[in-house]
Amino acid sequence: MNIAIIPARGGSKRIPQKNIKEFNGKPIIAYSIEKALNTNLFDKVIVSTDDEEIAKVAESFGAEVVNLSKNEDPIRAAEIFSRGRGIDAVIITASTNSSQPVHEAANMCRK
């Protein structure tokens, strides 16, 4: 199983709630979720967050959510989700940078 993890904290100091701010008609995080889903290389796209609003938006765009406490490392979502599930590859992508080369990283899953 290949999974994509999108860490999305709720407590940005410079731009509060930046992950769910609208940009060209969609929340910013939606672009990263859609890009990961559209690769068709991931069995699951997971958003790890400590914020209920981000979780709702992520789910509405097709991601699964792993809820973290404010003190947990967002990368821990991979550990939480993968327990006993036979994960082959984990790709971690940014929540606010949909131009990140998800396809290039996803191609590593094929190798």
Side-chain angles (χ1 to χ4, degrees):
M1 177 185 302
N2 298 325
I3 61 172
I5 302 278
I6 303 171
R9 289 264 184 220
S12 174
K13 290 180 176 72
R14 292 188 331 189
I15 304 172
Q17 296 296 92
K18 69 180 174 190
N19 293 302
I20 56 175
K21 293 277 188 211
E22 293 280 321
F23 181 75
N24 285 335
K26 286 193 275 193
I28 291 173
I29 195 169
Y31 293 95
S32 294
I33 293 168
E34 289 174 344
K35 190 172 249 188
L37 288 170
N38 289 335
T39 66
N40 294 318
L41 294 173
F42 300 110
D43 300 294
K44 304 281 182 188
V45 174
I46 301 162
V47 170
S48 65
T49 188
D50 58 359
D51 187 277
E52 190 174 317
E53 288 181 66
I54 293 171
K56 288 178 187 174
V57 170
E59 287 174 338
S60 75
F61 282 90
E64 293 187 29
V65 173
V66 172
N67 293 304
L68 302 174
S69 72
K70 298 216 182 280
N71 297 325
E72 283 184 297
D73 181 341
I75 306 308
R76 182 151 159 64
E79 294 173 37
I80 292 168
F81 184 82
S82 64
R83 286 185 190 135
R85 295 185 188 218
I87 303 299
D88 297 311
V90 176
I91 302 297
I92 299 170
T93 186
S95 60
T96 57
N97 183 3
S98 65
S99 65
Q100 184 182 27
V102 173
H103 287 281
E104 289 176 30
N107 283 334
M108 290 187 294
C109 293
R110 292 182 181 158
K111 296 179 180 175

